[in-house]
Amino acid sequence: APRFDIECGAAYVFSKSGSSWSMKKSITAYDGAANDLFGASVASSDGAIVVGAPGYSTGRGKVYIYTGDAYGTERELNFPVPIASYFGSALAVDGGRMVVGSIGAALVELFVSEGANWRQAASAYDVSSTALGGALALSGSTLFAGAYRDGEVFIVEDDAIFTDNFQ
């Protein structure tokens, strides 16, 4: 719900019991501000919930990682360069691997889990794209990265290829 509370945003955790769904928790950013768009992207795997706030810090973007039953913030990831990259525009998580899209930089970054920490492992970009990283899916070592303004989907099936740009 990125437009919740003057666009600070929120994410909601639901659980299913039988055939009914009920809200378990509402999550907001502890440092949320207007136009952060917290909740614009959400992904979940192995008990972790990852929430993007691509509007954070005037479009620099931020990703929040929550774990455990209380869903306390475990880790935050920021775009390393202070530009309007919209880091967290799209997210995908599969086990100990996470990809984060930055449509303002036409960039997709791969992070790997090392215990409670996430380490940036690789980056991929397309210099001709205007919105690479606007949609992502990750399954094992296969990445699907959409560039919606260009009408393209890139499929990367090997981590070694991921380190090169998409051209």
Side-chain angles (χ1 to χ4, degrees):
R3 304 274 186 213
F4 175 78
D5 193 22
I6 312 173
E7 299 185 9
C8 292
Y12 301 94
V13 180
F14 289 84
S15 63
K16 185 176 180 182
S17 177
S19 62
S20 300
W21 288 88
S22 60
M23 189 171 74
K24 186 174 180 180
K25 175 126 178 128
S26 171
I27 301 172
T28 57
Y30 72 91
D31 59 349
N35 300 314
D36 279 357
L37 302 176
F38 179 89
S41 57
V42 179
S44 177
S45 180
D46 295 340
I49 298 173
V50 183
V51 182
Y56 177 83
S57 188
T58 317
R60 183 174 178 189
K62 190 177 201 177
V63 172
Y64 299 81
I65 302 166
Y66 299 89
T67 60
D69 289 336
Y71 299 108
T73 306
E74 172 188 297
R75 180 102 165 107
E76 299 171 9
L77 302 173
N78 291 290
F79 191 69
V81 180
I83 62 170
S85 67
Y86 301 99
F87 181 72
S89 302
L91 300 166
V93 181
D94 186 14
R97 300 162 49 88
M98 172 175 45
V99 286
V100 179
S102 301
I103 61 169
L107 179 70
V108 176
E109 296 187 69
L110 170 69
F111 293 86
V112 294
S113 175
E114 295 179 341
N117 295 314
W118 290 84
R119 176 183 58 84
Q120 182 181 1
S123 296
Y125 64 94
D126 182 357
V127 295
S128 66
S129 174
T130 56
L132 177 68
L136 300 170
L138 182 63
S139 179
S141 63
T142 303
L143 165 69
F144 301 88
Y148 67 91
R149 289 184 190 147
D150 303 321
E152 297 178 311
V153 174
F154 296 92
I155 302 171
V156 181
E157 297 183 284
D158 180 356
D159 289 341
I161 296 170
F162 190 83
T163 59
D164 297 329
N165 72 39
F166 286 117
Q167 295 194 0

